[in-house]
Structure formats: structure tokens, C-alpha cells
Amino acid sequence: MLKRERQAIILHKINLHNKILSTELCKEMGVSEDTMRRDLQELSDQGKLIKVHGGALSHSFSQVNFMPSTVYSQANKAIIAKKAASLIKDGMFVLTSGGTTILELARALPPGLKATFICGSIPTVLEYMKHPSIDVVVIGDKVSKNSRITVGAEAINQIRRIKADLCFLGVNAIDLQHGVTDNDWDVVMIKRAMIEASQKLVCLTIAEKMNSFQPLHICDLADVDILVTELNASDPSMQPYVAADIQVL
């Protein structure tokens, strides 16, 4: 594979997942760690990503306020957010993770909605605070610089004391065999706690992330109650998920 082709794949994955691991890229492309390190360094020098130990981050991680114009697949995420917002009713307690799709959900909430949102994502909390009538509860603990979300034992303990009606997760990868997966251990632990603390799990993802998996397991497909993408439920690519007894929006 030519360097230009490798780097195009790297940039696509960084847009899609926001964080990439060198080991996974090496395995996928069949190259050495030295080759991948040089590719990431070159892309970092060009200002196209942020090189960190063990991989790279999207430039979105250096921002607290995400502008829609800088969000990958923003139009599709806005469609997902509108569908997801229709599930939230007055009086509900709602747990949400972080990520740009969840941010779109925050922007799509009806102005008259009266519900309580519980979240540890700094950008998402800031977006919730703009809403005129919802209550916002911030989960507190150490802030992960990589994900802009509170992580750690105290955050998990706080989540475990909650009995939420809905949990909305921004999904990094989902497939039939592995379920919902991610590549950030701290975020995985937070998401697992959110799922356990909620009556119903709603996963939000652009279709491009479907049928893919990452190293760390969050939950099985059987744990997902509702899957929301930009596609219609009748789309052929959604039928295996419908057959798995998941409500598809």
C-alpha cells in the first residue's frame, strides 16, 4: 500500500472515530509500527491530526465548542438527533454520553421540553445549558483530556446511584457479532455504568460505523433496545438489526 493510500485511510478513520490506535492501524494495513509512527507524525506536522502516545486524535478533541461546520457527517448526525429527540418525554431522566452525535441531540431538543439530563461530557453540558427549560446534572470526577468527559471511580459511583428512563450512547462501532465497542478504556467503563443505570438503551450512530468493531467491549447487541441511524428502518442494511429484535429508527 502506498503512503498516500495509507494516510487517506488514517484520515478517514480519524474523522469517523475521533481516536485511532497505532496497533489497530498496523494490523489492518499490514505495516510496521515504525511506518505507522512516521505516517502519523507526518500528518500531525501537516496539522491534520493530533499525534499522541499509541495513536492519534482528531482536532475536535482540542475544542470545547464544536461548530456544526467542523463535524464529520454533520447532516446525517442531525437526522439521527431529530429521530432520537422524539423519544424524550416531559419528566424523563436521561443519561447521555459524549460525542458529536450527542451534541446534535442536545441541539435538537424541543424548546418546551421539561426533562432532566445527566451527563459528564463537557461540550455536551455546555450545549444543554443553552436550553430554556431542561435541568442539567453534571457527573463529576477527573476529566479525560482525550474525550472531554468525566471518568474515574467517583463518576461511575455517581452514575450507579441513578435510575434513568433512557440512556443515549454515541456509538463508535457496532456489529452483530461484537455488539457495541470502543477504543477508550475510561469511556468504556463510563458507558457500561450508564447502561446499567438505565431502563432503556438507545444507541446513536451514522450508518458508516455499523458492521465495524473496536478492541473494547461495551455491551452485547441484545442489550440495545433502540438503534438510531440516518437510514430508514426498511433499508436492507438495517434488516439484520431488526431481525435481532432491536427497534430501528
Side-chain angles (χ1 to χ4, degrees):
M1 187 180 294
L2 298 174
K3 180 173 75 170
R4 183 176 62 231
E5 294 173 317
R6 291 197 309 271
Q7 293 188 357
I9 292 172
I10 291 169
L11 291 175
H12 177 71
K13 287 187 174 294
I14 203 81
N15 278 325
L16 196 60
H17 299 298
N18 290 320
K19 179 182 178 181
I20 51 177
L21 302 177
S22 297
T23 53
E24 292 299 311
L25 292 171
C26 290
K27 185 186 304 182
E28 181 175 336
M29 295 188 225
V31 298
S32 68
E33 291 186 11
D34 285 341
T35 297
M36 186 53 60
R37 191 178 300 112
R38 287 194 296 270
D39 280 345
L40 293 178
Q41 188 61 59
E42 186 172 323
L43 291 169
S44 178
D45 292 342
Q46 294 171 7
K48 295 179 178 179
L49 51 74
I50 302 169
K51 186 175 181 296
V52 296
H53 179 71
L57 303 175
S58 164
H59 274 292
S60 64
F61 277 123
S62 66
Q63 305 170 11
V64 174
N65 293 306
F66 291 77
M67 300 303 295
S69 60
T70 67
V71 173
Y72 180 74
S73 198
Q74 190 274 335
N76 286 332
K77 291 176 181 178
I79 293 170
I80 293 167
K82 186 175 180 180
K83 292 181 183 181
S86 70
L87 298 169
I88 306 168
K89 309 302 180 186
D90 285 348
M92 280 188 169
F93 284 77
V94 182
L95 268 166
T96 69
S97 66
T100 51
T101 307
I102 298 293
L103 272 174
E104 289 299 325
L105 171 62
R107 293 169 179 146
L109 298 176
L113 178 68
K114 297 182 185 299
T116 301
F117 285 76
I118 307 156
C119 184
S121 164
I122 305 306
T124 307
V125 166
L126 292 174
E127 199 64 43
Y128 285 148
M129 287 172 61
K130 299 176 184 178
H131 193 279
S133 56
I134 65 170
D135 291 326
V136 185
V137 177
V138 182
I139 299 163
D141 204 332
K142 174 186 174 182
V143 177
S144 165
K145 292 182 179 179
N146 285 353
S147 58
R148 297 291 194 265
I149 193 169
T150 54
V151 296
E154 182 55 33
I156 291 171
N157 287 337
Q158 290 179 28
I159 293 167
R160 285 175 174 165
R161 291 194 288 268
I162 297 165
K163 298 297 180 186
D165 296 288
L166 295 175
C167 171
F168 287 92
L169 290 189
V171 170
N172 222 348
I174 182 170
D175 74 352
L176 297 170
Q177 180 181 354
H178 302 89
V180 181
T181 53
D182 209 309
N183 59 16
D184 187 313
W185 177 255
D186 288 331
V187 172
V188 165
M189 299 307 291
I190 291 293
K191 287 184 174 181
R192 286 179 183 173
M194 286 184 168
I195 293 168
E196 292 172 2
S198 305
Q199 294 183 39
K200 189 171 287 189
L201 171 60
V202 185
C203 289
L204 313 183
T205 181
I206 56 174
E208 196 173 351
K209 292 184 180 182
M210 291 170 54
N211 304 317
S212 67
F213 68 93
Q214 297 202 327
L216 304 176
H217 180 259
I218 296 173
C219 69
D220 294 331
L221 204 63
D223 297 317
V224 179
D225 296 290
I226 303 173
L227 177 61
V228 188
T229 77
E230 75 274 19
L231 302 178
N232 293 324
S234 59
D235 190 281
S237 63
M238 303 306 300
Q239 296 317 297
Y241 296 89
V242 173
D245 203 27
I246 297 173
Q247 181 183 348
V248 174
L249 293 184

